[in-house]
Amino acid sequence: MTIYDISEKAGVSIATVSRVLNGSNNVSEKTKKKVLDVINQYEYTPNAFARGLGLNTMKTIGIMCADSSDPYLAKAIYYIEQKLRANGYDSILCCTGYDLDTKSSSMNLLITKKVDGIILVGSNFIYEKEDDNKYILGAAAQVPVMLLNAAMDAPNVYSIVSDDFTSMYDATMEMIRSGVEDILYFYNSTSYSGKKKLAGYRAAMEEKGLLTNGSFLQLYQGSHEDIPAMADQLLKLHAKGITFHGVIAADDSLALGALKYAREMKLRIPEDLAIIGYNNSMLVNCCDPELTSIDNKLETLCQHLITTLMGVLGGSEMPKKTVFSGELVKRGTTK
């Protein structure tokens, strides 16, 4: 039996069941009796029930991320842990890598630790094949699952996302308006978020009839720490006679690779090559000129995620999906 079975058999919403389990006064005696009768009939006593009664709660949230050495993911974990602690919760972190089996094993591990909820940091946890997402559905049948910058429509799964499509579309249009039309898109991920960014770039370029060269879509598959390798990939394009006067990168580290390429080619920035990064991370201040980048409002996303999670754990109705807009922060690498 899960909270969803009780909801169905009692003929009430999941939130109502949660309120009954949490001892909320916001439920009529008639409805409370209906829910408790189902609970007693089926002897429902999982961890969620104990937590709801305030017994045996671990006051702990599980956090999963693919790679904590990634600056974006590391910053997200920092914000999330800070905000959990402010709400009286500890956390258990699992760095899963990108293999599905390892992600599933980590999820099962967190469930056995009796965590109150699970946060998936980053968009690499969502797959196109429905079967590959069963490990998330299984966990969500027991505890709330929060997705940071990914979306999934499923019971007890809550999505907090940045509008990567619009942010990338607007940034591309801004570069086109500045007079740069041969813009190369430099990316390193085909995750949920990665696809949204790519689609935003493509939409802007196709709208202006500028996506005529397939080589303008450059997927980098090396380490996110290997800036010279990123620059080398762009140098090889130049050696093939492929020229461009703008680079929009899906990550700030890739934008630094483009900046290194420009230095090696002795190009003036932004006169000969304009560059836009993504995430508005600490890396934007580590170069000269400083990097124009898209701020995807990471701290705001993390704050809202924790607010939503605390609401769910408290038995409140919370929005299943919340979308925030990004902002282009102009610095010295664009006109």
Side-chain angles (χ1 to χ4, degrees), residues 55-274:
L55 312 169
N56 302 329
T57 176
M58 301 297 288
K59 295 289 283 185
T60 302
I61 303 298
I63 303 174
M64 291 169 54
C65 81
D67 180 2
S68 60
S69 73
D70 179 283
Y72 172 82
L73 299 179
K75 194 69 172 179
I77 292 166
Y78 168 76
Y79 286 138
I80 287 168
E81 286 192 321
Q82 263 196 334
K83 296 173 195 311
L84 283 173
R85 200 173 301 117
N87 283 277
Y89 280 80
D90 294 318
S91 58
I92 300 173
L93 174 63
C94 290
C95 297
T96 66
Y98 296 93
D99 180 70
L100 175 57
D101 289 340
T102 309
K103 293 174 185 176
S104 182
S105 297
S106 296
M107 185 78 85
N108 291 334
L109 172 65
L110 291 173
I111 292 295
T112 65
K113 298 295 184 184
K114 300 182 181 179
V115 296
D116 296 85
I118 295 175
I119 300 171
L120 304 183
V121 180
S123 60
N124 283 290
F125 292 97
I126 304 298
Y127 293 88
E128 289 185 356
K129 293 181 181 178
E130 288 187 15
D131 281 353
D132 291 341
N133 293 319
K134 283 184 177 178
Y135 77 108
I136 296 176
L137 299 178
Q142 302 176 68
V143 297
V145 175
M146 316 298 296
L147 304 181
L148 178 67
N149 213 24
M152 181 178 176
D153 185 12
N156 218 23
V157 176
Y158 298 84
S159 306
I160 315 296
V161 299
S162 179
D163 188 354
D164 292 321
F165 174 91
T166 301
S167 295
M168 195 60 82
Y169 173 89
D170 290 346
T172 306
M173 282 297 194
E174 180 68 21
M175 188 173 281
I176 293 170
R177 282 193 291 269
S178 75
V180 182
E181 297 188 342
D182 50 345
I183 304 168
L184 180 139
Y185 184 67
F186 203 19
Y187 66 112
N188 58 353
S189 173
T190 56
S191 66
Y192 174 92
S193 173
K195 288 175 181 175
K196 295 291 185 183
K197 294 175 189 176
L198 175 58
Y201 162 83
R202 291 189 68 110
M205 293 291 281
E206 289 171 355
E207 184 177 318
K208 296 296 184 180
L210 299 174
L211 195 58
T212 56
N213 190 337
S215 298
F216 280 175
L217 300 176
Q218 282 293 309
L219 174 62
Y220 170 76
Q221 295 180 295
S223 166
H224 62 260
E225 298 176 343
D226 196 346
I227 305 298
M230 300 171 192
D232 189 55
Q233 184 165 331
L234 299 183
L235 287 167
K236 287 176 180 176
L237 284 180
H238 178 79
K240 293 177 182 177
I242 299 167
T243 59
F244 45 90
H245 292 87
V247 173
I248 296 181
D251 183 87
D252 287 337
S253 61
L254 290 169
L256 290 186
L259 194 64
K260 183 173 178 60
Y261 157 81
R263 295 297 187 206
E264 296 194 17
M265 291 294 300
K266 295 183 169 41
L267 300 175
R268 297 172 301 159
I269 301 170
E271 294 83 3
D272 300 329
L273 184 69

